[in-house]
Amino acid sequence: QQPVQSPQAVILREGEDAVINCSSSKALYSVHWYRQKHGEAPVFLMILLKGGEQKGHEKISASFNEKKQQSSLYLTASQLSYSGTYFCGTVVNQAGTALIFGKGTTLSVSS
Amino acid sequence: DGGITQSPKYLFRKEGQNVTLSCEQNLNHDAMYWYRQDPGQGLRLIYYSQIVNDFQKGDIAEGYSVSREKKESFPLTVTSAQKNPTAFYLCASSSSPGLAGGVAKNIQYFGAGTRLSVL
């Protein structure tokens, strides 16, 4: 039931782009994205809901393909501050009571 | 400032000992969660509570216990039955209008975590 994230790790230079994917074996109602710096609390980035509703940061974009049960997070013109581990959390139906998180994708941005 | 406070930041457990991790929130959120984080494993759900005096087991509840006597507090006890307790523990909360639909549409806010080690 745990969603699968890919890739496991990404190394970028400042200004480069990256895509992080999150796939589920079950139909999804919503997908949440969080970023965590080492030893710190995860910080909310984006929620994508079935039907197209989104809430999140203006500078970060994401997509949710309901038919493929996948979500992708797009990081464009990366900055040093983008470094960290990105987690997707999924909810399979509207009555879901908890997020199920993937194992994470580690992004390293260097100058 | 509103937020979630976890204490202590670091905790050491002796073999056979029970230890309790504190989680307090002043966000007026109904739902609270405990996650365990191990390197490369992501966040795994231990217990969650949608309302005072009620809680449910998550995926890895064995060796842990919780209580929810007050809306703002959700302490986690790591019992001696948990043979591998070394991990980073995160508490989270979210608003949950009604019992359905809350977690799907609402942001989860996390505390800064407690790192538990075994002596």
Side-chain angles (χ1 to χ4, degrees):
Chain A
Q1 195 176 357
Q2 187 177 31
V4 177
Q5 289 187 233
S6 62
Q8 285 187 318
V10 183
I11 299 174
L12 296 176
R13 293 229 181 244
E14 271 187 298
E16 293 180 337
D17 302 337
V19 180
I20 300 172
N21 301 303
C22 176
S23 297
S24 173
S25 59
K26 296 192 172 189
L28 299 174
Y29 181 79
S30 70
V31 180
H32 301 217
W33 286 96
Y34 289 81
R35 177 172 61 213
Q36 184 183 30
K37 305 274 185 180
H38 183 69
E40 298 181 5
V43 173
F44 168 76
L45 296 175
M46 177 84 67
I47 294 176
L48 302 107
L49 294 163
K50 186 175 179 179
E53 185 181 348
Q54 293 186 11
K55 22 174 165 177
H57 291 277
E58 292 177 359
K59 293 187 178 181
I60 293 176
S61 63
S63 65
F64 180 18
N65 187 322
E66 296 167 31
K67 287 184 179 179
K68 291 188 176 180
Q69 298 159 192
Q70 290 178 347
S71 177
S72 295
L73 187 69
Y74 304 97
L75 302 164
T76 57
S78 59
Q79 305 170 15
L80 294 175
S81 62
Y82 286 12
S83 293
T85 301
Y86 290 77
F87 293 100
C88 68
T90 57
V91 183
V92 297
N93 56 57
Q94 189 173 1
T97 50
L99 290 173
I100 306 298
F101 285 94
K103 293 186 176 182
T105 296
T106 300
L107 178 69
S108 301
V109 182
S110 61
S111 57
Chain B
D1 287 335
I4 301 177
T5 302
Q6 289 188 242
S7 63
K9 190 171 182 179
Y10 299 97
L11 186 59
F12 297 91
R13 192 191 89 167
K14 294 180 182 177
E15 199 161 333
Q17 187 182 40
N18 293 351
V19 292
T20 297
L21 285 60
S22 171
C23 178
E24 303 275 332
Q25 54 99 358
N26 60 5
L27 298 167
N28 200 33
H29 285 168
D30 289 305
M32 297 187 74
Y33 309 85
W34 274 106
Y35 294 93
R36 170 178 171 144
Q37 189 173 29
D38 296 280
Q41 294 300 314
L43 285 74
R44 293 184 291 170
L45 183 65
I46 305 172
Y47 268 98
Y48 63 99
S49 168
Q50 292 183 291
I51 198 167
V52 174
N53 292 323
D54 188 47
F55 48 83
Q56 285 78 42
K57 293 182 179 180
D59 298 324
I60 56 165
E62 187 175 346
Y64 300 97
S65 66
V66 294
S67 62
R68 187 86 188 274
E69 297 176 2
K70 298 186 295 181
K71 185 176 184 178
E72 57 270 22
S73 179
F74 191 40
L76 173 74
T77 296
V78 183
T79 73
S80 57
Q82 173 49 249
K83 298 305 180 189
N84 183 22
T86 297
F88 190 50
Y89 290 86
L90 287 161
C91 178
S93 72
S94 71
S95 63
S96 183
L99 293 180
V103 73
K105 296 184 178 182
N106 288 282
I107 300 167
Q108 281 199 7
Y109 296 89
F110 286 84
T114 292
R115 191 165 296 279
L116 176 62
S117 303
V118 177
L119 287 176

